[in-house]
Amino acid sequence: MTDTPGEAGPPPRRRKLRLGVVASALTAVLTLLCCVGGAAGFFLTELGGEEQDGTTAAGLGCGTAHQVSITGDMPRFAEYGEGQLRNAAVIIRVGQDMQVPARGWVVALATAMQESALRNLANSTVPASLALPHEGVGSDHDSLGLFQQRPGWGSVQQRMTPSYTAHKFYEKLVKVPNWERRPLTVVAQRVQVSAFPDAYAKHEELASRIVDALAGGAARTVQIAGRAVCDAASGARIAASGWTAPIPGGVGSGFRTADRPSHDGVDIAAPKRITEIHAASSGRVLVARCDPDHSGRRDCDRDGWPGKGGCGWFVDILHAGGYITRYCHMVERPRVVPGQLVQAGDVIGLVGTSGNSSGPHLHFEVHVDGDRSSRGAINPVPFMRERGAPLDGTA
């Protein structure tokens, strides 16, 4: 199987500038870029083959029965100190005690990261809170604690008790319909009713890493028949990290191999037309169209061939953290449109062999920093494995 996905990305510019622009643009990542699909309608066939190091697989194991220690040594994260990590441990341990699936721990952590930076905050307008143990002083209305809860959530002392506030958060979380599959920012907003509903998304990646570090790789688990299973997220089964493998099956042609140094993704063989392609994570569709071939033709409704050029029918999706996933060679027009919000596991199209292809398969790419060009491409195999959604057929 061959494919030459590529895209004439934006003109070269300094990485520092692009990262700064992306960082500010992705603050509300799932509500922005509604029109980027059209504005960034570059030809994939013009992409070069620049080399860029991919992510490395985490050496962390995955255990489904790991009990979080609140009093033991804390892992080190550049973003947070020991006290903040201890608060994170309390949040996770309460979720464990309540038998909330690990996805809930990720949502809870991301929420507390946004609301209080994982600090137990008193409030200058609530004098009684200043007399209780606290790790900082806020001034947002009469909000208190890790989750900045207002009086309706409990007394001053209760809201200043991390375990109580986490318990109340989970109580409301599990009542949100279909909460385990919905985008983190949507679920967190249903619980918190925040004035900044889109701010939670940017914490999802780090929240997953913290859950992995404190709870033995638990962000890599998926709930199957009521129990947590490691590295088994595929299709409609979503890992606690919020990711899933787009189709089952193993990788045939790998990322930037010696034979294909400009191959910016991986190929996964699958039957034509009957294999559904799933969104790997929640996000917003940037592009959904037919990619022109080397001759400029847009004839994706027929089988392609090696040397034809182009991605065929394809989709690009922007996810929290500035990640972009790409799905090429669909058999027919994608089932999504630019600007559409999708949930992890949603069906976005069917496997085919349109464009530069010698047989039915999905060409799958992962890009970082919101960069759709070859410069942003990384190896999707370790990236997806770290998120409990391996592409090697074990899911």
Side-chain angles (χ1 to χ4, degrees):
M1 290 175 287
T2 60
D3 43 57
T4 312
E7 181 151 334
R13 63 185 72 179
R14 292 184 180 180
R15 165 71 67 171
K16 183 176 181 180
L17 174 61
R18 185 172 68 249
L19 289 177
V21 172
V22 170
S24 59
L26 291 172
T27 299
V29 65
L30 296 183
T31 58
L32 297 179
L33 292 174
C34 63
C35 304
V36 169
F42 311 116
F43 287 164
L44 295 179
T45 52
E46 298 176 8
L47 225 187
E50 294 184 38
E51 293 289 342
Q52 178 174 320
D53 291 337
T55 56
T56 55
L60 191 65
C62 181
T64 60
H66 182 85
Q67 285 296 306
V68 173
S69 172
I70 298 172
T71 59
D73 293 336
M74 292 292 111
R76 293 187 178 183
F77 282 83
E79 298 85 351
Y80 296 112
E82 180 180 346
Q84 292 161 299
L85 268 296
R86 209 168 294 284
N87 286 332
V90 171
I91 292 171
I92 296 173
R93 183 58 181 268
V94 171
Q96 289 181 325
D97 292 344
M98 294 177 66
Q99 297 185 327
V100 175
R103 177 61 177 166
W105 316 343
V106 174
V107 175
L109 279 191
T111 303
M113 290 160 69
Q114 172 61 29
E115 297 291 351
S116 68
L118 293 175
R119 295 176 298 156
N120 191 27
L121 297 179
N123 193 308
S124 58
T125 67
V126 186
S129 68
L130 300 172
L132 297 170
H134 58 276
E135 300 159 334
V137 179
S139 58
D140 181 16
H141 297 88
D142 47 14
S143 302
L144 298 175
L146 290 176
F147 293 92
Q148 289 293 277
Q149 293 166 343
R150 304 194 68 182
W153 291 81
S155 68
V156 172
Q157 184 166 3
Q158 287 172 327
R159 289 181 288 145
M160 291 295 294
T161 303
S163 58
Y164 172 88
T165 59
H167 195 281
K168 296 299 288 185
F169 180 88
Y170 287 125
E171 281 185 343
K172 194 169 181 179
L173 170 72
V174 297
K175 294 178 182 177
V176 177
N178 199 28
W179 67 269
E180 290 185 70
R181 279 200 59 204
R182 300 177 73 178
L184 181 147
T185 191
V186 172
V187 177
Q189 172 63 4
R190 287 288 298 273
V191 176
Q192 295 292 106
V193 193
S194 168
F196 304 98
D198 305 303
Y200 303 109
K202 64 178 177 284
H203 301 288
E204 184 169 15
E205 175 78 8
L206 181 54
S208 295
R209 287 168 46 207
I210 292 174
V211 166
D212 275 340
L214 289 172
R220 289 166 49 190
T221 63
V222 61
Q223 292 295 117
I224 300 177
R227 67 186 186 94
V229 180
C230 293
D231 299 333
S234 181
R237 293 175 173 173
I238 315 302
S241 66
W243 289 80
T244 186
I247 65 171
V251 171
S253 182
F255 176 80
R256 293 180 180 170
T257 62
D259 293 337
R260 307 177 70 191
S262 62
H263 193 230
D264 289 336
V266 297
D267 295 339
I268 305 172
K272 175 182 174 182
R273 195 176 292 278
I274 63 174
T275 305
E276 296 179 331
I277 302 170
H278 300 261
S281 187
S282 298
R284 184 179 294 278
V285 177
L286 298 180
V287 180
R289 62 171 174 82
C290 175
D291 187 37
D293 63 18
H294 288 315
S295 299
R297 294 170 299 195
R298 298 179 184 269
D299 57 350
C300 296
D301 286 325
R302 61 170 175 161
D303 289 350
W305 59 86
K308 184 178 190 293
C311 223
W313 287 113
F314 82 103
V315 170
D316 279 4
I317 301 175
L318 173 67
H319 310 281
Y323 298 112
I324 293 174
T325 52
R326 176 170 294 155
Y327 314 77
C328 296
H329 307 311
M330 295 181 181
V331 70
E332 60 190 17
R333 183 180 297 276
R335 297 184 182 181
V336 292
V337 296
Q340 180 178 338
L341 284 173
V342 293
Q343 296 183 177
D346 282 353
V347 177
I348 61 173
L350 300 175
V351 167
T353 184
S354 59
N356 198 93
S357 173
S358 61
H361 70 287
L362 170 67
H363 173 86
F364 179 67
E365 297 182 13
V366 174
H367 293 242
V368 297
D369 300 333
D371 187 348
R372 297 175 59 230
S373 75
S374 180
R375 291 185 297 271
I378 63 171
N379 189 343
V381 172
F383 177 90
M384 296 297 287
R385 187 188 308 126
E386 289 171 8
R387 286 150 183 81
L391 303 176
D392 57 7
T394 61

